[in-house]
Amino acid sequence: MTLQTLPRIALIEDDEIVRQTTCQWLELAGFEVEAFSHGKAGLDAVLQHPFDAVVSDVKLPDVDGLSILNELELHQVATPVLFITGHGDVDMAVGALQNGAFDFIEKPFEPERLSQRVSEAVDSYRQQASTQERQAYLARISGLEKVLIGQSRVMQQLREQVAKLARIDTNVIIYGETGCGKELVATSLHNESARQAQRFVPINCGAIPENLFESELFGHESGAFTGANQRRIGKFEYAHKGTLFFDEVESMPASMQVKVLRALQEHTIERVGGNQSIAIDTRVIAAAKADLNGHETFRQDLYYRLNVAQIHLPPLREREDDALILFEHFTRQTNPETRLASEADRHAILSYSWPGNIRELRNVAVRFALDDGISVMEILSNRPSSTMEAVQSDVPLLIQLHNFERKVLHECLVAHQGRIHEVMLALDLPRRTLNQKMKKFGLNRADYT
């Protein structure tokens, strides 16, 4: 999560003693405070410099609090305003509240009460500003940034590297954890290159049976083997003048690695069962989860042929607040009318480690967009990566507690075969509470009877 500076508060109070003590209270509560004795001076400062909140007396010698509120609205300054008011000024404060003030607090007040409300105002303001910033970012991006989305420094560097390597017609290895978007980067390298008008041909090395691998890559002639009833063009030939993408290249069978190496060296292939050499002009991009240098089952000569350039994709947990931007992008993509994520949702998104990276985030965002009644925490709590059997130290405590409560309830329902009265007795829960918890965790009695 991005580190934020101390919240800046503009305190406007004409009573010197009240101003000094309130300033001290707020500073002790962790705020950076700039105090003003006159409303005009405080208003000018807020209009010229960014503040996270304004704390102001309702009645001031030069202007009243409502005038300050109106001026801020006139200049489209969204900084929240909290008013401090004496008993006789409550009506004015209520009017200010109706005109957009965040809150008002009557004198005398508890310092803790003031600091709590100021903190809530700051959180609300920063969240609103952050949401607007993300929406503005998603609305203005174009080109490569619209594909490789993110404002973090590592994503800016990645886009620069992709743009540079796209112009150089050379082989590339992309490294990254599962779900980081390796194929998306490979596609971007192709689409930004001089080969963009030709084919981008992906092949997952881990998904092809070894006995079919050669035919899949090089094609075959009719009658080359049982079932080969007609000539078939292989991936290398199909990607001629374009780009061939080897995903999970570390899974390529050893018997095929030497043949792929020869094809890359000679720029020719032969179909299975054929004798004719076929010239190929294919750029090869490979992707792997771990470094291939010194890999026990991967040929080093093939590694050096592929490893002309490298791209390392950062996991989502190292991309600062990009998770929030991507979450908003995926939810809007799924349903443009999706509700905004709540503070608890945003906290869950930023504190979760995302072991499945962008792929996992996209799945959660789609589920969130399709179900108006579900929270991010509830979705994460029901995912296999968050179960109590495999508790992770980087899973937030609230999610672990949620998981544990659900697990206990689930096991009790299993043990008693869905007999509600027995479950009530075993867990010492009233019927209404049990029903609420079953609904909360998506547990249905019929599934256990």
Side-chain angles (χ1 to χ4, degrees):
M1 188 186 303
T2 302
L3 292 176
Q4 294 186 315
T5 57
L6 287 178
R8 294 190 70 234
I9 310 301
L11 172 62
I12 308 173
E13 170 60 66
D14 60 316
D15 187 305
E16 184 175 358
I17 295 176
V18 175
R19 185 171 65 250
Q20 289 179 352
T21 54
T22 304
C23 183
Q24 290 173 356
W25 289 337
L26 290 174
E27 287 176 342
L28 287 172
F31 301 103
E32 181 184 327
V33 183
E34 189 169 345
F36 305 91
S37 58
H38 289 76
K40 182 69 167 59
L43 176 61
D44 289 344
V46 176
L47 291 176
Q48 294 173 20
H49 306 288
F51 285 87
D52 293 290
V54 176
V55 177
S56 175
D57 198 349
V58 171
K59 282 193 172 181
L60 296 162
D62 48 353
V63 295
D64 60 41
L66 197 55
S67 298
I68 293 175
L69 192 65
N70 292 337
E71 282 295 314
L72 293 179
E73 183 179 358
L74 183 65
H75 289 83
Q76 297 183 330
V77 176
T79 307
V81 179
L82 291 90
F83 286 118
I84 301 171
T85 176
H87 180 70
D89 302 321
V90 170
D91 288 343
M92 184 184 292
V94 170
L97 205 61
Q98 293 171 343
N99 281 277
F102 185 83
D103 200 357
F104 72 90
I105 298 176
E106 275 192 82
K107 299 176 184 176
F109 53 82
E110 293 292 330
E112 293 78 8
R113 168 67 176 161
L114 176 64
S115 60
Q116 177 188 347
R117 293 303 287 154
V118 172
S119 180
E120 290 169 359
V122 169
D123 288 344
S124 174
Y125 174 65
R126 285 189 166 184
Q127 287 161 15
Q128 183 180 10
S130 178
T131 299
Q132 291 173 346
E133 182 184 343
R134 291 193 299 273
Q135 291 175 340
Y137 168 79
L138 291 170
R140 72 172 180 265
I141 56 177
S142 60
L144 189 58
E145 193 169 9
K146 202 161 188 174
V147 180
L148 304 177
I149 297 172
Q151 291 182 291
S152 61
R153 182 59 190 156
V154 290
M155 285 305 293
Q156 294 175 30
Q157 293 172 339
L158 174 64
R159 288 192 292 267
E160 292 171 4
Q161 188 180 17
V162 168
K164 181 179 180 180
L165 289 178
R167 296 190 294 268
I168 306 172
D169 197 33
T170 190
N171 297 337
V172 179
I173 297 180
I174 303 170
Y175 290 111
E177 296 178 6
T178 298
C180 273
K182 295 186 286 293
E183 185 167 346
L184 192 64
V185 172
T187 306
S188 299
L189 285 168
H190 172 77
N191 290 339
E192 298 293 317
S193 74
R195 297 176 180 266
Q196 61 181 268
Q198 306 302 320
R199 294 188 183 96
F200 174 82
V201 182
I203 181 168
N204 190 316
C205 299
I208 302 174
E210 186 170 351
N211 62 325
L212 298 178
F213 216 106
E214 186 172 8
S215 172
E216 189 72 19
L217 286 186
F218 303 119
H220 60 254
E221 298 290 353
S222 178
F225 50 83
T226 303
N229 299 322
Q230 59 184 4
R231 172 186 287 178
R232 183 179 187 278
I233 301 299
K235 300 295 188 185
F236 262 111
E237 195 173 348
Y238 189 65
H240 181 59
K241 297 291 185 181
T243 302
L244 181 60
F245 173 54
F246 286 118
D247 197 7
E248 296 186 28
V249 70
E250 67 269 30
S251 302
M252 184 182 291
S255 60
M256 284 303 304
Q257 292 178 28
V258 65
K259 297 178 181 180
V260 170
L261 175 63
R262 179 177 175 80
L264 296 179
Q265 288 174 333
E266 304 297 329
H267 300 287
T268 61
I269 60 163
E270 290 182 6
R271 301 189 191 106
V272 177
N275 296 312
Q276 180 184 2
S277 290
I278 301 167
I280 55 167
D281 174 14
T282 306
R283 182 186 193 181
V284 174
I285 300 174
K289 290 188 284 290
D291 194 347
L292 296 175
N293 189 16
H295 194 283
E296 58 182 8
T297 63
F298 200 84
R299 292 179 63 100
Q300 289 299 284
D301 45 6
L302 177 57
Y303 163 75
Y304 291 124
R305 177 65 61 174
L306 294 173
N307 190 50
V308 180
Q310 290 184 6
I311 293 177
H312 291 267
L313 297 189
L316 189 54
R317 62 183 174 274
E318 294 178 5
R319 291 177 52 180
E320 299 171 356
D321 290 353
D322 281 352
L324 287 177
I325 293 174
L326 289 166
F327 184 83
E328 191 148 329
H329 168 68
F330 292 136
T331 54
R332 292 285 177 266
Q333 200 175 54
T334 305
N335 177 11
E337 302 302 320
T338 302
R339 68 197 188 282
L340 292 174
S342 68
E343 181 182 355
D345 291 327
R346 290 189 290 270
H347 177 74
I349 292 167
L350 290 175
S351 56
Y352 186 58
S353 63
W354 299 108
N357 290 293
I358 300 172
R359 184 178 301 145
E360 183 181 15
L361 176 67
R362 182 192 292 113
N363 292 341
V364 171
V366 169
R367 174 81 187 280
F368 181 85
L370 296 177
D371 188 342
D372 282 341
I374 200 165
S375 69
V376 171
M377 186 176 293
E378 286 176 292
I379 299 171
L380 292 175
S381 298
N382 291 314
R383 298 184 71 77
S385 60
S386 300
T387 58
M388 288 303 297
E389 286 78 4
V391 170
Q392 303 172 31
S393 60
D394 53 3
V395 174
L397 177 61
L398 286 177
I399 292 180
Q400 295 193 41
L401 291 174
H402 183 98
N403 293 339
F404 180 73
E405 190 176 5
R406 186 183 191 279
K407 180 174 182 288
V408 170
L409 187 53
H410 165 73
E411 291 181 349
C412 194
L413 284 163
V414 170
H416 296 282
Q417 298 181 342
R419 293 187 289 272
I420 297 299
H421 185 68
E422 294 179 16
V423 174
M424 289 167 53
L425 293 175
L427 298 178
D428 192 23
L429 287 176
R431 178 63 182 262
R432 183 177 179 181
T433 303
L434 178 59
N435 289 342
Q436 289 173 340
K437 289 185 178 296
M438 289 177 65
K439 183 178 180 180
K440 172 184 175 182
F441 296 122
L443 302 175
N444 298 309
R445 177 180 175 275
D447 296 333
Y448 298 93
T449 55

